[in-house]
Amino acid sequence: MKNIAIVAKPHTPNIKDITEKIINFLMSKNKRILLEKRAAEALCVDNYHSENEIRDSADLVIVLGGDGTLISAIRLLQEKSTPVLGINLGRLGFLTDTKIEDATSTLQEVFSGNYMIEKRMKLDVLVKNKYNTTFKAQVINDLVINKGALARIIDIDVTVDNLFMNTYRADGIIISTPTGSTAYTLAAGGPIVYPTLNSIIVTPICPHALSHRPIVLHDTSKLKLKVKDLYDKVFITCDGQEGKKMESGEEVYVEKSNSFANLIVTKHHNYFTLLKEKLGWGRPNA
């Protein structure tokens, strides 16, 4: 690991000092630093490396921020399998679970080879109309189809492997990876799925029928979603970071991606401890 990219969340309290501390540590290890644009902004400098440079050259990406910042770093890497280490400057941090006070000691372990890689599955998303593809994306967490603020309840047909599954009458629907099971899906009543499993989770948002429950599908499943009677504003959003307004005649196709996100965790990492810490399991009234 010679070339180390840094992605930081600007405007976070003390982010300049934190970033400088990490850079000083890396320089003491004779590492080459690749500053992503937001990291340069955090340092108040003008020079930064392009996304293409980081994608092509980085041996490791360090993310200083919350889960949203880490997701954006994974999206920057696209199909690349470059390992990513998240250092949590956010609030919840299921993906960025290294605490800032443990940052340098964790990096020392990583450079000593004392770490593990967790492969997290991603989903490929295609939106098509009768003639062509109108939108495509990859997600590490989820894609969401939901109605606008003033729209009526929508009906969404879901087909799995060319077999009709259900018409969900709801405010919307979430298609999630196991990594995303602790994100929006969890808030909508979906299950917590161990993050290194390969599966696809379908969770309706505020369904009109109590019988419409979340379902966990095999990772080889290929889904097709179509909003019926698209008379109101309906949007598709991917990882909460990009999306579009759905147009009449469009259908959404979802399947497991061929590429993975590679997250670095230390050998003492314990997912259940993480759940206890983040969700307050075991505390009174938790």
Side-chain angles (χ1 to χ4, degrees), residues 3-259:
N3 301 311
I4 313 298
I6 299 179
V7 177
K9 182 179 180 181
H11 315 304
T12 301
N14 301 319
I15 187 61
K16 186 174 185 291
D17 292 340
I18 292 168
T19 306
E20 287 177 342
K21 179 182 178 181
I22 298 297
I23 288 175
N24 289 336
F25 174 80
L26 294 174
M27 292 180 67
S28 74
K29 301 297 180 181
N30 297 314
K31 306 299 182 182
R32 176 181 174 230
I33 311 299
L34 303 172
L35 283 183
E36 193 259 352
K37 184 177 181 180
R38 287 166 292 176
E41 183 180 347
L43 290 170
C44 303
V45 298
D46 296 327
N47 296 326
Y48 59 88
H49 293 80
S50 70
E51 292 185 0
N52 285 335
E53 288 179 287
I54 292 172
R55 194 178 299 121
D56 294 339
S57 301
D59 303 311
L60 167 68
V61 177
I62 298 173
V63 176
L64 304 172
D67 285 355
T69 310
L70 188 137
I71 288 170
S72 71
I74 291 172
R75 296 170 70 83
L76 180 157
L77 290 171
Q78 296 180 359
E79 306 289 333
K80 289 285 188 175
S81 58
T82 309
V84 179
L85 173 66
I87 297 173
N88 185 23
L89 305 183
R91 288 170 292 179
L92 202 53
F94 280 98
L95 297 175
T96 52
D97 66 333
T98 297
K99 298 176 181 178
I100 185 59
E101 57 266 28
D102 299 327
T104 55
S105 60
T106 298
L107 283 168
Q108 183 62 60
E109 290 189 26
V110 170
F111 295 145
S112 300
N114 189 31
Y115 68 94
M116 300 181 295
I117 293 285
E118 283 192 352
K119 293 181 68 175
R120 302 290 185 93
M121 69 170 279
K122 297 190 285 186
L123 295 173
D124 287 333
V125 181
L126 287 177
V127 181
K128 298 180 180 180
N129 60 25
K130 184 178 179 180
Y131 305 102
N132 53 35
T133 298
T134 58
F135 175 81
K136 63 180 180 179
Q138 270 190 355
V139 298
I140 178 67
N141 261 2
D142 52 40
L143 70 104
V144 179
I145 298 175
N146 65 340
K147 64 186 183 69
L150 300 178
R152 291 169 280 186
I153 286 175
I154 55 179
D155 296 310
I156 306 170
D157 286 342
V158 180
T159 301
V160 179
D161 296 331
N162 295 316
L163 300 174
F164 175 73
M165 185 175 79
N166 194 14
T167 297
Y168 288 95
R169 184 169 172 78
D171 282 358
I173 196 165
I174 307 165
I175 311 298
S176 169
T177 66
T179 295
S181 71
T182 49
Y184 193 4
T185 296
L186 180 62
I192 295 174
V193 179
Y194 200 84
T196 54
L197 292 178
N198 292 325
S199 56
I200 299 173
I201 307 151
V202 179
T203 305
I205 304 170
C206 300
H208 192 63
L210 292 177
S211 61
H212 290 182
R213 312 305 303 165
I215 183 170
V216 180
L217 304 173
H218 199 280
D219 69 309
T220 59
S221 301
K222 296 185 178 181
L223 283 67
K224 182 177 76 173
L225 302 95
K226 184 173 183 179
V227 180
K228 299 171 67 175
D229 302 322
L230 196 61
Y231 41 71
D232 281 320
K233 287 184 178 180
V234 176
F235 301 90
I236 179 170
T237 307
C238 294
D239 280 340
Q241 297 188 356
E242 65 173 330
K244 70 180 291 290
K245 178 179 176 291
M246 296 289 294
E247 304 293 342
S248 179
E250 289 183 330
E251 297 175 332
V252 181
Y253 295 82
V254 186
E255 62 180 82
K256 180 182 176 182
S257 175
N258 289 326
S259 65

